[in-house]
Amino acid sequence: MHGDPLRKGRLGTGRPPALAEFLSSMEADRWIAEADILVDIAHLLMLRRQGIVGEEQATAVLRALVRMAEDGVPETAFDDRYEDIHAGIEAHLIAIAGADAGGRLHMGRSRNDEVATCLRIRLRQEMLLHMEAVTSLRAVLLRIAGDHTGSVMPGFTHLQHAQPTTLAHHLLGYEQAFTRDFERLRDAFARIDRCPLGAAAFASTGYPIDRAYAAGLLGFPALVENTMDAVSARDFALETLSAWAILMTTASRLCEELILWSSAFVDFVRLDDAYCSTSSIMPQKKNPDTAEILRAKTGGISGALVAALTCVKGLPMSYNRDLQDLTPHLWRAADTVGRCLPLLSGMLDTATFMTERMHEEAGRSNSTATDLADVLVRDFGLPFRTAHGIVGRAVRMGSLTLATLDAAAREMAGISLVGLGVTDAVVKRALDVTFSVTSRNQPGGPAPEATDAFISGHEEQLAADSRWVKETRGRIDTALSDLVHTAQDVVQ
Ligand code: ARG
């Protein structure tokens, strides 16, 4: 460890290692070490351009920074006797470039704006990966749905057989939910992508810095303008955690269904062996562990959101050290989401859907009773409530046949369905699951023509969203690599 540059003045030296470690954010700062080098470079190029730091000193520090950008931050900078990576890197720079040059980098800034900038840079990168993973997941769902627009299955409410639908319709429900999850990530991204640098401790600085220039170098399209808010705001993290918690909740519900569907009771899906485990005692077992762990991880993300909200809610303006303790929740959640999404895509992509079993179940428990009531309304002029009552009473009598329906109609409404012209063939057709599904052709409904239209529309949306992710990543990557090249040119 080089001497801690921060503790030379005001404070007495020497404190128990356990205390230093307790106060240090070093472990979580591994996430932002690379971003910190970029922030240092951008800040220094700005100081140099504004004439705040002389050419010679700027070059000496830039040389050390470029070395770290190329080779990585040295392990000595991660010593957790430093309060954080900002102190560790500054100590390293002073050791390499000398106190006269290295000691000038921190002019016109504070670790408060520095850390907020680093968090936003790294979080942008994580969010782009997540958004890309959500687009892949949507592509898998659209692909499977496209293969199964004619695969009839039961739809459920209250987990009771309700009405027939198709596997396509069911999966497209998730695809639509994941599309909203994508939109939430993109909305949060827009507010992450703002630069707090130059806010310094909170009151900006008297040096003639150029905030917009430094922000531009780091690929930020705009500033977090008010400097008080710039260092104290973590709502970008709260919003992101919230978007992740909702996204993972969608994923968890889908996992729950895969778990249910892979039970022998249901047998609607066979998951690929890779995603399953067996038992140490029961040789026959195949357990859907990936879906279970994913369902459990969702709780961890919700927990991270609550921890972060609770951390912030009592903080007065502006920076408070509590904020440091929020950050590990953010990174743990980022890592979990980043690992879960591709696994979910893979698990779906390799699953086998048992369409015959689904078809077998589609008509169970009088699931087409609504269609029968609708036929009595549409073709025989009954009010819906009367038809609903007649069909319900016939179900209560034990079965849906012309005989029970006619008896129910006499009992309940004093009319004869046979007299109205209802025949066995009419009843049979109305109860057919395929008739039921194909008649539900409203936009967003299960009829194959409706699901086909949905798939086309969402394929277009998906292509546009994927383009957006690619272009945004391109914009940011270009800015950051231009930044490093500019620094390399200066020191050459
Ligand atoms: N390690 C700190 C964090 O993560 C950086 C800012 C420290 N600022 C301070 N005034 N102590 O939030």
Side-chain angles (χ1 to χ4, degrees), residues 25 29 83-84 86 111-112 115 319 321 323-324:
S25 56
D29 286 353
E83 252 180 43
D84 49 36
H86 318 295
R111 284 179 299 162
N112 298 351
V115 70
Y319 179 84
R321 193 67 183 278
L323 293 176
Q324 170 176 302

Side-chain angles (χ1 to χ4, degrees), residues 269-304:
V269 73
R270 304 268 168 93
L271 298 173
D272 188 87
D273 284 359
Y275 295 89
C276 298
S277 75
T278 187
S279 158
S280 60
I281 177 168
M282 299 167 281
Q284 86 287 5
K285 285 302 292 289
K286 177 174 167 179
N287 302 322
D289 294 38
T290 309
E292 292 174 296
I293 297 279
L294 222 145
R295 189 174 56 176
K297 294 276 184 210
T298 302
I301 307 295
S302 310

